[in-house]
Amino acid sequence: MEGEIRPQRYLKIQNVNLEKSENLERHRTEDFSSSKALVVRRGAPFKVTVQLEGRPFNPKTDSLRIKVMLGRLYVIMPVTLSKKVSPSHWKAYMEPEGLDLQSPSIFISSPASASVGCYRFQLYVFTQNSRKKKCVFGKFILLCNPWCPADTVFIPFEDLREEYIQNDSGLLFMGTAMNLVSRPWSFDQYESGVLETCLNLLQVSPQHQKNRRLDYLNRNNPVYISRVVSAMINSEDDRGVLKGNWSGDFKQGVNPSVWTGSGDILRQWAQSGFRPVKYGQCWVFAAVMCTVMRVLGIPCRVVTNFNSAHDTNDNLVIEEFYTETGQKLNRSKDSIWNFHVWVECWMTRRDLGPGMDGWQVLDPTPQERSGGVFCCGPAPVKAIKDRRIDLLYDIPFVYAEVNADIHTIVVSQGRLVSHSTDTERVGSLICTKDVGLPRHQNITRDYKYIKSPTSTLTSRSSTGSDDSTIKEASTSNGVVVFLTLDKAPVAGEPIRFTVRVINKQRVAKMMKVHLNAQAKEYNHSPSDTFWETHGVIQLAPMEAKVIQQQILPAQYEDVVGDDLINLAVVLEDMKSQERALATEEFNIASPELNIQIADEDSIVLNKEQTATVTFTNPFSQPVSGVLTVAGAGLIQGKVHFRMLQLCPGGRVQQPITFIPSMVGRKMLQANLSLTNISSTIRGFKMVFVNRA
């Protein structure tokens, strides 16, 4: 019959819509929208819509199949009409209700234990009268899912997930337990190219290069992933991200103190063809690892251990040596770092059984080999507290970092003249950034049993007796000495401190007093003495005397900069030659840059804003330098300004314009690198960007 329309018998897939905006929102990955790929989390379905050409899909006679591939591993599954998903198997289904047969939507659900990586998929259509399958290709990136209770990285409470997965800025804590320095850091996980670089890090790893199939299979386990990442952040055994340098000579690269975020480091590593970036120290290694773990979907936070022991001979004792005039010597292979920075990742430890789930220590700073490779962890924090050195991984090493004893020895002409033990200085404060707030959270009690609430920050003292701890100092013979700072030292002000001497015997004494100050880096023995004073005091029987001293800014500014000071007092009984020592290591609080934003409550996406950075010179000399301003999601790249010479007490203001490109809580940070004092002045401002 003329004009009769014959039914279209062919059925072909025209294309597949990855429904990016809906999937990113559902999987809480919308901040990764700069990535070309679809980014989803395991253990939850994502939707793709198939555009068909020709006749509509007929569920009775046609069928769809999906092949999902990770490297050479693959799984093929039929697309069913049943929504019933399995937490342990891949599944694909269509919702029968409201099914559009010309462009049906398919939901692909991965198991909560699927491997992390960059997947490809193929979609095939089969018809009753055609043996030929028609297919189309797609790609997606699969990450861990801390929102999914079946995932081993599941962390309860939304505020924890916001802080430890989604937050792209934070604070790193440095300085000393008495005088914390909070350094702003931009984790940059949503900056262009960072997601892809973190996935490439897994591909470049020795494990992947050696056996790709096994690596892909093992990537379902956060214990395995975290261990690979811990080794790949340093470059001792592989093409890792960062080269460590503690020499003080950074001419071949960047001084670790100059970095302000992870993005520049990861970008430089990727663009150089995975050559190690120069240079990193502990807080840089840890902060970059935190970025990688958050990107991969594993909850992560940066942790600082103050007075961290590096016990090379595993005897849980660190020895420190002083001269009879209070100068600290570099005698021991063991060392105490004023602070050391690592990360904790949250995961279930199915390999260890119950009780060891939760926070795990991972340390990417290359210190000791673990399984032949420079990496450390995951060590359950609970296992460190209970000294479960039988469990994996690296618990004895981390246990010593927070628990070793310090033996302080005074030597004179090669002879030991005084010896004391301190059981409380190591691990005196362990902290991380508080959830949702720009301040520190004390987590020392998670790592160790603390005897009394005041014991973590006491002044250290010793006596001339052969072997005395602080606890016994009050009952020993001879003289006891205490050294205390009057207040936390601040740049531009004198360092004021008090020496308290108590004669515990019923005889008068003539005492030589030696006071000595040396500059030191956080992880080194001190350099030469920059300030000293010597004198003699007379003590009546049972008398207590107080000596007050100060070190003026002009005496310490040029020497110390961002470093610390080791201050020591040695008392020598002129009759018995018995000696007593007290020491204090401290940092000087830098001034901060002040950042103010006009109308800070009405900051909206894509609308220009103005901030003002203010600096007041507290130093006793004129300063000049370069101001750098940055902010992920607020400013593209970095903005630099030259600051001309500013006299002592002078004030300078610099306006900055920025256009927010992301919503949510963002960090604007400013750094002023001074040219004539080895110091960097920092400041930050948290801003909340609303949708327009």
Side-chain angles (χ1 to χ4, degrees):
M1 190 172 120
E2 261 183 65
E4 185 182 342
I5 299 168
R6 293 192 173 184
Q8 292 170 312
R9 304 207 58 78
Y10 81 96
L11 174 64
K12 188 174 154 197
I13 300 174
Q14 197 176 4
N15 69 18
V16 170
N17 179 351
L18 295 179
E19 303 289 3
K20 212 170 152 188
S21 63
E22 184 184 328
N23 284 320
L24 293 188
E25 191 179 338
R26 183 182 291 193
H27 286 256
R28 296 174 179 84
T29 52
E30 58 263 64
D31 289 328
F32 290 118
S33 55
S34 70
S35 170
K36 292 188 182 77
L38 170 65
V39 185
V40 292
R41 299 192 185 278
R42 64 189 190 178
F46 65 92
K47 178 169 122 178
V48 297
T49 301
V50 187
Q51 252 94 46
L52 296 173
E53 201 179 288
R55 65 175 175 78
F57 181 77
N58 181 348
K60 291 194 170 72
T61 58
D62 306 326
S63 64
L64 288 161
R65 266 189 217 168
I66 292 177
K67 181 181 184 182
V68 172
M69 293 159 281
L70 180 63
R72 290 187 179 170
L73 299 176
Y74 67 89
V75 60
I76 298 173
M77 54 198 148
V79 178
T80 69
L81 290 169
S82 159
K83 277 173 72 176
K84 199 172 177 195
V85 295
S86 155
S88 56
H89 292 93
W90 285 87
K91 175 92 188 239
Y93 64 89
M94 293 187 281
E95 287 186 332
E97 312 89 50
L99 185 59
D100 179 346
L101 296 172
Q102 197 65 57
S103 55
S105 289
I106 297 169
F107 293 87
I108 302 171
S109 181
S110 61
S113 59
S115 292
V116 167
C118 197
Y119 285 76
R120 292 168 299 130
F121 72 87
Q122 291 173 336
L123 189 61
Y124 303 97
V125 61
F126 295 88
T127 57
Q128 202 173 27
N129 57 355
S130 151
R131 291 202 191 127
K132 222 171 167 188
K133 49 193 180 184
K134 314 281 195 312
C135 75
V136 68
F137 295 84
K139 273 185 184 174
F140 62 92
I141 288 168
L142 193 66
L143 307 176
C144 293
N145 191 352
W147 283 266
C148 171
D151 196 315
T152 48
V153 302
F154 171 69
I155 187 167
F157 308 117
E158 187 60 22
D159 60 340
L160 300 186
R161 294 188 285 257
E162 272 178 31
E163 183 67 57
Y164 301 135
I165 287 287
Q166 294 174 299
N167 201 348
D168 63 353
S169 67
L171 297 175
L172 316 178
F173 295 99
M174 300 155 90
T176 56
M178 192 185 84
N179 201 2
L180 292 189
V181 174
S182 54
R183 180 171 293 190
W185 188 270
S186 189
F187 293 116
D188 293 332
Q189 63 260 48
Y190 310 121
E191 296 296 283
S192 179
V194 168
L195 166 72
E196 290 73 13
T197 301
C198 294
L199 290 162
N200 280 334
L201 179 145
L202 300 178
Q203 304 294 102
V204 173
S205 74
Q207 289 86 340
H208 188 78
Q209 297 300 316
K210 192 172 156 192
N211 187 333
R212 294 182 178 200
R213 185 175 182 277
L214 190 59
D215 175 61
Y216 279 134
L217 286 168
N218 284 332
R219 272 197 221 170
N220 68 341
N221 183 357
V223 174
Y224 173 84
I225 295 170
S226 63
R227 210 161 155 73
V228 169
V229 173
S230 170
M232 278 300 294
I233 297 297
N234 69 68
S235 56
E236 298 304 304
D237 310 284
D238 44 46
R239 295 157 71 193
V241 178
L242 280 157
K243 178 91 184 122
N245 183 345
W246 287 266
S247 71
D249 176 6
F250 307 115
K251 286 196 281 293
Q252 302 292 313
V254 175
N255 180 330
S257 290
V258 171
W259 300 115
T260 59
S262 307
D264 290 344
I265 295 166
L266 289 166
R267 209 172 290 116
Q268 190 179 319
W269 181 62
Q271 286 168 358
S272 71
F274 310 112
R275 280 196 192 90
V277 175
K278 297 173 179 177
Y279 292 105
Q281 289 184 8
C282 64
W283 70 92
V284 185
F285 287 111
V288 173
M289 178 158 182
C290 185
T291 296
V292 177
M293 300 313 276
R294 286 185 185 183
V295 164
L296 298 178
I298 299 170
C300 189
R301 62 188 187 182
V302 179
V303 170
T304 303
N305 176 38
F306 286 96
N307 300 324
S308 192
H310 191 135
D311 179 23
T312 53
N313 58 1
D314 297 333
N315 66 348
L316 288 178
V317 170
I318 309 287
E319 292 177 325
E320 292 189 334
F321 294 89
Y322 283 82
T323 67
E324 59 197 320
T325 56
Q327 190 169 17
K328 195 175 186 182
L329 300 168
N330 184 9
R331 279 274 189 93
S332 172
K333 278 188 177 173
D334 292 346
S335 61
I336 301 272
W337 290 16
N338 290 91
F339 61 84
H340 181 46
V341 185
W342 56 66
V343 301
E344 288 176 358
C345 292
W346 181 276
M347 63 189 75
T348 303
R349 290 298 300 270
R350 287 180 182 159
D351 56 325
L352 300 184
M356 293 299 141
D357 300 342
W359 291 115
Q360 316 283 320
V361 171
L362 286 135
D363 190 349
T365 299
Q367 295 181 92
E368 301 267 323
R369 291 190 185 276
S370 171
V373 174
F374 277 101
C375 69
C376 176
V381 173
K382 290 170 187 169
I384 296 160
K385 186 170 184 173
D386 290 326
R387 205 180 175 186
R388 291 289 308 276
I389 55 177
D390 53 311
L391 300 177
L392 295 171
Y393 290 88
D394 307 308
I395 290 157
F397 183 73
V398 184
Y399 180 85
E401 286 183 301
V402 299
N403 282 297
D405 292 346
I406 301 173
H407 289 189
T408 305
I409 296 153
V410 180
V411 289
S412 173
Q413 296 163 350
R415 216 163 45 83
L416 185 155
V417 292
S418 167
H419 175 227
S420 63
T421 301
D422 186 330
T423 58
E424 298 192 347
R425 187 174 7 146
V426 167
S428 60
L429 173 65
I430 303 166
C431 69
T432 186
K433 179 189 169 297
D434 207 349
V435 177
L437 295 165
R439 65 183 189 196
H440 79 281
Q441 177 191 352
N442 185 338
I443 55 170
T444 315
R445 287 174 188 276
D446 295 347
Y447 281 82
K448 55 208 286 190
Y449 294 95
I450 296 171
K451 299 175 197 82
S452 70
T454 54
S455 71
T456 50
L457 293 178
T458 48
S459 167
R460 290 175 289 288
S461 70
S462 84
T463 67
S465 64
D466 278 353
D467 189 2
S468 63
T469 66
I470 297 174
K471 298 280 178 294
E472 292 162 2
S474 56
T475 55
S476 64
N477 297 327
V479 168
V480 62
V481 57
F482 294 95
L483 172 63
T484 50
L485 293 166
D486 296 358
K487 72 178 192 97
V490 175
E493 295 179 14
I495 299 162
R496 294 193 171 92
F497 59 94
T498 301
V499 177
R500 208 161 125 252
V501 187
I502 305 167
N503 180 1
K504 306 194 73 185
Q505 292 180 331
R506 297 183 187 278
V507 287
K509 291 180 184 287
M510 287 289 281
M511 307 293 295
K512 280 186 187 171
V513 181
H514 305 284
L515 281 156
N516 182 89
Q518 296 159 274
K520 76 178 291 286
E521 290 181 46
Y522 73 98
N523 64 320
H524 277 303
S525 293
S527 52
D528 295 339
T529 297
F530 71 85
W531 177 91
E532 62 187 320
T533 181
H534 308 277
V536 175
I537 59 165
Q538 192 162 0
L539 289 171
M542 307 300 284
E543 184 187 6
K545 257 198 176 138
V546 170
I547 306 163
Q548 289 186 307
Q549 277 285 356
Q550 64 176 6
I551 306 173
L552 298 171
Q555 294 172 305
Y556 70 74
E557 272 175 4
D558 292 340
V559 192
V560 179
D562 283 339
D563 287 344
L564 298 106
I565 292 174
N566 181 274
L567 183 63
V569 56
V570 175
L571 273 97
E572 182 185 345
D573 187 325
M574 292 169 75
K575 189 177 177 189
S576 69
Q577 266 83 58
E578 207 175 37
R579 291 170 179 85
L581 165 84
T583 67
E584 192 67 73
E585 285 186 349
F586 57 90
N587 56 310
I588 295 161
S590 284
E592 289 183 1
L593 297 175
N594 181 280
I595 305 175
Q596 294 297 328
I597 298 174
D599 306 321
E600 65 175 278
D601 295 332
S602 55
I603 297 172
V604 292
L605 197 63
N606 301 324
K607 186 185 168 198
E608 188 174 281
Q609 299 287 333
T610 303
T612 306
V613 180
T614 306
F615 170 63
T616 305
N617 178 12
F619 300 104
S620 63
Q621 55 189 294
V623 293
S624 57
V626 176
L627 175 70
T628 304
V629 182
L634 299 173
I635 294 176
Q636 287 292 309
K638 290 181 168 58
V639 194
H640 304 280
F641 304 91
R642 189 169 298 285
M643 187 189 80
L644 300 174
Q645 199 165 71
L646 187 66
C647 62
R651 183 169 156 233
V652 65
Q653 290 192 317
Q654 177 66 56
I656 287 121
T657 57
F658 63 97
I659 301 171
S661 58
M662 287 177 76
V663 295
R665 195 173 299 285
K666 299 289 154 199
M667 177 190 277
L668 187 65
Q669 57 167 315
N671 296 283
L672 176 60
S673 182
L674 299 178
T675 41
N676 54 331
I677 294 180
S678 64
S679 186
T680 301
I681 316 299
R682 298 177 171 83
F684 72 95
K685 176 88 174 171
M686 298 309 296
V687 300
F688 193 85
V689 181
N690 299 287
R691 292 191 191 279

